Amino acid sequence: MATNGSERPLRFAVIGAGMSGVLAAIKLREAGYTDVVLYEKADRLGGTWRENTYPGIACDVPSHLYSYSFEPNPKWSHHYSPGGEIQGYFESVARKYGVEKQIRFGQEIERLEWKDGRWQLETRTGMRDQADVVIAATGVLHHPNMPDIAGLESFAGACFHSARWDHSVPLDGKRVGVVGTGSTAVQIVSALVDRVAKLELFQRTAQWVLAQVNPAYTREEQQTFARDPKSLAEMRANMSKLFSDTFSNAVVDANSPQIKMIEEQCRLNLETNVKDPVLREKLRPNYRAACKRLVISPDFYQAIQRPNAELVTSGIERVEPKGVRTKDGRLHELDVLVLATGFRADRFMRPAKVVGRGSVQLDEVWAKRPSAYLSVSIPGFPNFFMLNGPNGPVGNFSLIEVAELQMAYILQLVESLRAGRCREVSASAKASQAFEAARTEAAKGAIWSTGCKSWYLDDRGIPASWPWTFDRFREEMARPKLEAYEQRA
Ligand code: NAP
């Protein structure tokens, strides 16, 4: 978009160079903004796909949907492609659009303060900067949840969190323990079971597992995608609609026929694929499918039934130098202990200190729990926007499509700044309170509220995610309701 002399030049700081940060840089450039800098704490872009390199990592959203809409990738190897390939995709898109040049690597934002009508930024290394607009693209699940297990530090073997995989540790022929039964643990178990001497999975809570075949795309299919981008776009649109209809819209309505179908598919997967009735009952959750984030796997049940695999359901008492002692008194001797224990889902851009108008600290505003108007804006924090912030459809949909819709929405708000209609824009307290009240009420009807513990739930046990359909999210993101925003000259 061309600018004219009377328009206000804007400087943007984007925090984080993962999927959302790279997207923000591309879309800002497309909208005609050239003064854009990305701050990235690591020495490489990619966010979650850079940090998670555990064996078996893949994305359980179809690859042709888990891609930017404007950068279809005819070369995806599988329907659900592995993590390394996804990381490579983001790096190649960033390269193609010249985003890397805009990134300051190794610079973690430590403090952001709204002062004299601009954001003052400071990084952990002491670098300072100023920006008119900040876009926090800091991700959701990135602070590992380290379990509070007695004696963990006494373990004589190698022990690490799944998101901090130590690739120097040999695994072949070793005795490996995995703590946790979420999407991560399940992928690790399937990938490792045939490599290790013994694999013990420490399960605190059983998970429902949806079976999902994952065929490779043939060369011919990839060539057809490359030759015919229109068919690729159509396929993406169909996948998006199917995902919405069968999953996103199902999880927000615990009584929907679609959620009952998912429950039935999970139950059938368990009944059909786990032969031993004792093991089957150990693997059967006592809550409804998709209440916790649904685990999707082509082969977990097969993996856990291998002769060298064991599902341990007696709780962990403590960790000892030789292994894990369970509550039944048994010592499980191990060489490697993997903590697939998830993430602290309420962190967002923290631990950065964010100070808004009138010296208000974000940590105070979020003392109980993080919240944001439509997931993108916080009252009292002008010209500060989030991609995949709190209360968005995290867990319901491809986060790429979520971020794309949010970015298009944010650009419309920023347009008010560029055109000089205002100098500061942030959600009004009234609109935020009304949104929060409606959201928490609607969340009661979601499957996440039906009686399980999960990272979807806030400190009150209320789901923090977007509780309406994805179509409604799309409609909300199409055009900001300016009356919900406080615009100051
Ligand atoms: P998670 O779903 O939060 O699972 C953590 C697991 O660790 C749970 O089984 C939990 O048990 C267990 N745990 C935590 N603390 C424990 C303790 N002190 N003792 C014993 N067990 C403990 O974490 P995740 O598997 O890393 O997945 C996080 C999210 O990342 C997923 O929900 C998904 O959204 C995303 N993800 C996506 C993909 C993908 O393919 N797209 C792949 C991996 C992850 P309880 O259930 O009893 O709490």
Side-chain angles (χ1 to χ4, degrees):
M1 200 184 292
T3 55
N4 67 47
S6 66
E7 286 177 343
R8 176 181 167 197
L10 295 170
R11 176 167 171 78
F12 290 81
V14 178
I15 311 176
M19 171 278 289
S20 304
V22 169
L23 168 79
I26 294 170
K27 290 293 162 186
L28 285 168
R29 168 99 51 90
E30 203 175 280
Y33 300 106
T34 50
D35 195 1
V36 178
V37 60
L38 277 75
Y39 285 93
E40 169 53 55
K41 66 181 176 202
D43 58 1
R44 200 176 163 197
L45 61 81
T48 199
W49 301 105
R50 180 198 65 241
E51 287 192 352
N52 287 275
T53 58
Y54 59 80
I57 184 168
C59 183
D60 56 19
V61 174
S63 296
H64 285 288
L65 186 56
Y66 195 79
S67 327
Y68 297 122
S69 60
F70 53 91
E71 270 303 321
N73 175 19
K75 293 187 194 150
W76 286 123
S77 68
H78 286 76
H79 283 244
Y80 304 89
S81 298
E85 214 178 298
I86 300 170
Q87 170 70 10
Y89 167 79
F90 288 122
E91 287 180 323
S92 74
V93 173
R95 217 172 297 124
K96 175 172 170 184
Y97 286 83
V99 176
E100 278 170 323
K101 293 194 283 279
Q102 296 171 288
I103 306 175
R104 304 218 167 128
F105 288 105
Q107 294 292 349
E108 180 173 358
I109 295 291
E110 190 174 48
R111 188 179 168 83
L112 281 163
E113 184 168 1
W114 179 256
K115 222 177 187 174
D116 305 326
R118 288 192 108 191
W119 284 102
Q120 316 291 322
L121 289 80
E122 196 175 331
T123 71
R124 207 162 277 285
T125 64
M127 185 188 251
R128 285 166 193 269
D129 198 353
Q130 295 191 344
D132 300 295
V133 180
V134 168
I135 296 178
T138 47
V140 188
L141 301 175
H142 53 108
H143 286 280
N145 170 44
M146 296 305 284
D148 187 13
I149 300 175
L152 197 55
E153 64 299 329
S154 72
F155 183 55
C159 177
F160 43 81
H161 188 272
S162 55
R164 300 286 181 271
W165 198 272
D166 183 346
H167 290 276
S168 70
V169 173
L171 298 166
D172 295 296
K174 302 290 179 193
R175 297 163 303 174
V176 177
V178 177
V179 181
T181 50
S183 307
T184 300
V186 161
Q187 289 180 339
I188 293 170
V189 167
S190 296
L192 286 190
V193 73
D194 290 333
R195 288 177 55 189
V196 301
K198 173 102 191 129
L199 196 143
E200 301 201 42
L201 178 63
F202 295 90
Q203 170 183 287
R204 185 165 72 178
T205 311
Q207 287 265 19
W208 286 110
V209 181
L210 191 65
Q212 188 81 270
V213 290
N214 187 17
Y217 284 113
T218 62
R219 248 180 106 74
E220 290 69 38
E221 282 173 315
Q222 291 172 335
Q223 283 165 351
T224 308
F225 294 149
R227 266 196 313 270
D228 186 4
K230 214 168 137 233
S231 77
L232 200 51
E234 269 166 24
M235 188 169 82
R236 187 180 198 280
N238 291 339
M239 279 178 173
S240 170
K241 178 153 177 24
L242 191 71
F243 204 90
S244 260
D245 292 348
T246 57
F247 184 72
S248 315
N249 295 352
V251 289
V252 295
D253 180 0
N255 295 318
S256 61
Q258 294 97 321
I259 201 77
K260 294 195 172 131
M261 208 143 82
I262 290 174
E263 288 182 289
E264 185 54 16
Q265 285 168 352
C266 290
R267 197 187 61 75
L268 268 179
N269 188 24
L270 179 68
E271 307 292 355
T272 319
N273 290 313
V274 183
K275 302 283 172 245
D276 172 3
V278 176
L279 179 64
R280 196 190 306 138
E281 291 320 302
K282 284 184 176 178
L283 286 166
R284 190 189 301 277
N286 60 3
Y287 55 87
R288 292 183 61 187
C291 181
K292 279 173 178 286
R293 192 341 181 127
L294 203 58
V295 171
I296 298 169
S297 169
D299 52 6
F300 170 65
Y301 287 147
Q302 288 75 7
I304 199 67
Q305 291 175 90
R306 293 274 207 281
N308 63 332
E310 184 181 346
L311 181 77
V312 181
T313 53
S314 180
I316 297 174
E317 179 71 36
R318 62 177 178 273
V319 172
E320 298 179 4
K322 284 187 168 177
V324 173
R325 176 86 60 185
T326 43
K327 291 198 168 129
D328 55 6
R330 194 175 141 202
L331 176 67
H332 302 256
E333 292 195 24
L334 299 168
D335 303 305
V336 181
L337 184 59
V338 176
L339 306 171
T341 45
F343 300 86
R344 297 177 66 193
D346 64 346
R347 300 284 85 197
F348 297 96
M349 54 280 212
R350 294 183 281 183
K353 291 272 162 260
V354 186
V355 184
R357 193 188 281 136
S359 303
V360 172
Q361 309 256 349
L362 186 67
D363 277 337
E364 284 166 20
V365 176
W366 282 4
K368 286 192 181 140
R369 69 199 69 94
S371 66
Y373 175 66
L374 290 178
S375 167
V376 297
S377 176
I378 310 165
F381 292 78
N383 306 357
F384 180 91
F385 306 105
M386 288 169 289
L387 294 173
N388 283 310
N391 313 136
V394 170
N396 318 23
F397 211 74
S398 160
L399 289 191
I400 300 190
E401 194 160 344
V402 172
E404 286 193 24
L405 291 165
Q406 289 173 331
M407 193 59 207
Y409 178 93
I410 291 166
L411 281 170
Q412 294 178 65
L413 292 170
V414 166
E415 185 54 32
S416 297
L417 303 172
R418 166 155 71 180
R421 289 194 287 275
C422 63
R423 290 193 72 83
E424 302 179 12
V425 60
S426 56
S428 73
K430 191 172 160 220
S432 300
Q433 282 155 11
F435 170 71
E436 185 56 9
R439 195 190 65 72
T440 49
E441 186 54 32
K444 291 178 190 159
I447 190 71
W448 313 305
S449 297
T450 55
C452 67
K453 258 181 60 196
S454 79
W455 63 261
Y456 288 136
L457 304 179
D458 68 17
D459 57 304
R460 304 164 295 181
I462 295 176
S465 283
W466 180 261
W468 298 289
T469 63
F470 197 70
D471 287 338
R472 175 157 171 182
F473 182 74
R474 239 189 226 111
E475 281 160 25
E476 286 284 0
M477 288 296 107
R479 186 160 295 280
K481 295 181 180 108
L482 288 180
E483 64 277 16
Y485 284 86
E486 191 190 349
Q487 298 181 72
R488 291 194 185 179

